[in-house]
Amino acid sequence: MGTHPVRASRRLVVTWLVDVARHGRRRGPRGLMWAPAAALVIGGLALACGPAGGDVTGGHGRGPAGAAPGERAAPDGHGTSGGHGATGAPEPGWRLESFRDLVVEVPASWGPAPAPGGDWCATVEGRPQAFPDKPYVDSRGPYRVEMAIGCFSRTEEEPDLHGGGVPRDYWSPHVWFTATPATGGGEEIPDGRVSSNGWTRLVRTVGAAKVLVLTDDAHLAEAERIIASAHQAEVDPHGCAASSPIQAGGFARPPAPFDVARLDTVDTIAVCHYDLNSPVGSPGLLASRELGGAAAAALLAAINAAPAGGGPDTPGTCAKHMSGNTGIVLRLTAGGSTHEAYVYFESCVGNGIDDGTTLRALTAGNCAPLWSGRVVQSGGSAAPFRVCHPDGMPAVNPTKPS
């Protein structure tokens, strides 16, 4: 199968990419080949060099509450369960992150950024990769990939607290999440504390997820607070349920149809990103964010301006049952009422924004604003990817806020 390089913003990787989880290899069970999107196009699939929405080296640049411009920081922990109760708003300088049915507090200054992986030694356009050099929250999703190269550095006598054999020179304190039990042949990391040479890894299982923190001694108190704050929640702070009917796959439609064209205004729009390979009824939430004010109004206008019929689609480049590995639920709240629309963006067919009444096409105006922070698109069919990322991919670790 031939490869055809496609220029992404500031990055070009002409190599074969394979789907590799942080602790093991995997292929999307719904049939698509996955790589970070936009560096290569292979058989009509967009394969990129870095996840969309990746943030700055060091993870800052998201404002005092860790939110992008126009984005609402998580206001509270409503909908929690598992004996924790409502958390209320986090203290100043902290924000909430969610994964599956886990919610955790993290320092606001620990912005989202992609962690180095097993391909840490790869060069990009002849230069070594840049990695976060300040504390951050890993923004790579579960279908992240690594280049099929071998990087060797650490001795087997030392515990690999980071994972992926990444040298200590590239370590920075950070938080990441994994599903439990481990999927795709990945390593199940036990709960508890392991320390070595001035570094500590803290691990705690809550519900269907693990939160892991790698820290140096200078940030140990923050790391301990992060781990202690983890709690189980049926609904996350942005109103995103831990499990959604969209997880049925097969381009499931919203169970409560409405007509988004009848919404003249919207107070907020929550972007809830789900793993479509998690069965309905089990936690599948990957990440969430919320737009308010002008950003929410602009997204609503762009959805309503999109033509009916869905797309962009390229039938014939994949099997029709391949609905992708992830999907998004948009929760549009206006005047105390909330409606949910489904967004599909990874397949060669079925793409669009579906309110249960009309399937509207993806456009740069209604898809590009969805991606920020830990809500990332790791790959998929080339046609919708290009629409959703009209400016190409940013560098994996850009030096300025995106």
Side-chain angles (χ1 to χ4, degrees):
M1 183 181 298
T3 64
H4 307 280
V6 174
R7 169 69 62 175
S9 174
R10 292 174 288 171
R11 293 204 63 188
L12 181 64
V13 178
V14 185
T15 186
W16 186 263
L17 303 184
V18 295
D19 191 0
V20 181
R22 184 164 189 168
H23 297 290
R25 298 175 182 268
R26 74 194 307 175
R27 176 180 293 268
R30 292 182 186 271
L32 295 181
M33 180 176 293
W34 292 98
L40 302 175
V41 174
I42 301 176
L45 299 179
L47 309 179
C49 9
D55 272 53
V56 301
T57 299
H60 296 274
R62 286 260 165 212
E71 184 170 358
R72 290 167 53 91
D76 56 46
H78 63 276
T80 59
S81 65
H84 186 91
T87 64
E91 294 181 11
W94 290 75
R95 72 175 189 277
L96 300 174
E97 294 281 358
S98 56
F99 176 79
R100 309 291 181 177
D101 56 348
L102 179 150
V103 174
V104 68
E105 293 184 14
V106 300
S109 60
W110 292 33
D119 56 355
W120 58 267
C121 64
T123 59
V124 178
E125 295 182 338
R127 299 188 300 273
Q129 298 183 70
F131 300 116
D133 59 5
K134 291 183 172 64
Y136 63 100
V137 178
D138 188 7
S139 63
R140 298 187 303 166
Y143 298 103
R144 56 189 177 259
V145 302
E146 296 173 356
M147 287 178 277
I149 59 177
C151 298
F152 303 96
S153 66
R154 70 182 183 87
T155 62
E156 293 300 326
E157 290 77 19
E158 298 177 349
D160 184 12
L161 303 182
H162 184 288
V166 177
R168 281 192 176 86
D169 289 347
Y170 299 148
W171 292 11
S172 290
H174 68 283
V175 180
W176 73 102
F177 306 96
T178 65
T180 187
T183 59
E187 174 190 354
E188 185 75 38
I189 302 176
D191 286 10
R193 175 190 302 242
V194 180
S195 298
S196 175
N197 294 321
W199 287 89
T200 299
R201 184 185 66 201
L202 305 172
V203 183
R204 182 180 172 196
T205 299
V206 174
K210 285 180 181 286
V211 56
L212 306 94
V213 187
L214 177 69
T215 183
D216 55 18
D217 290 342
H219 296 88
L220 182 58
E222 291 171 297
E224 291 174 335
R225 175 170 169 175
I226 293 168
I227 287 291
S229 74
H231 62 277
Q232 195 171 7
E234 295 178 359
V235 179
D236 89 344
H238 292 135
C240 300
S243 180
S244 167
I246 197 175
Q247 295 169 215
F251 305 106
R253 307 196 73 183
F258 72 105
D259 185 356
V260 69
R262 293 181 177 274
L263 292 180
D264 297 324
T265 62
V266 66
D267 298 323
T268 61
I269 300 179
V271 181
C272 313
H273 195 195
Y274 287 93
D275 182 355
L276 300 185
N277 296 310
S278 296
V280 173
S282 67
L285 184 65
L286 299 175
S288 69
R289 54 191 294 258
E290 186 174 284
L291 302 177
L299 179 55
L300 175 63
I303 293 172
N304 284 327
D313 295 336
T314 52
T317 61
C318 70
K320 291 184 179 181
H321 70 277
M322 294 182 180
S323 55
N325 285 329
T326 73
I328 282 175
V329 174
L330 295 180
R331 290 178 48 84
L332 299 93
T333 300
S337 298
T338 299
H339 304 279
E340 292 190 348
Y342 290 0
V343 188
Y344 297 106
F345 44 84
E346 292 183 347
S347 183
C348 65
V349 294
N351 297 299
I353 299 178
D354 186 7
D355 60 11
T357 301
T358 303
L359 180 66
R360 292 172 170 80
L362 297 176
T363 66
N366 65 31
C367 189
L370 304 181
W371 313 106
S372 185
R374 289 179 50 245
V375 179
V376 299
Q377 184 178 3
S378 297
S381 186
F385 186 90
R386 288 168 176 150
V387 168
C388 294
H389 305 279
D391 297 326
M393 289 294 300
V396 170
N397 290 287
T399 56
K400 297 179 180 179
S402 59

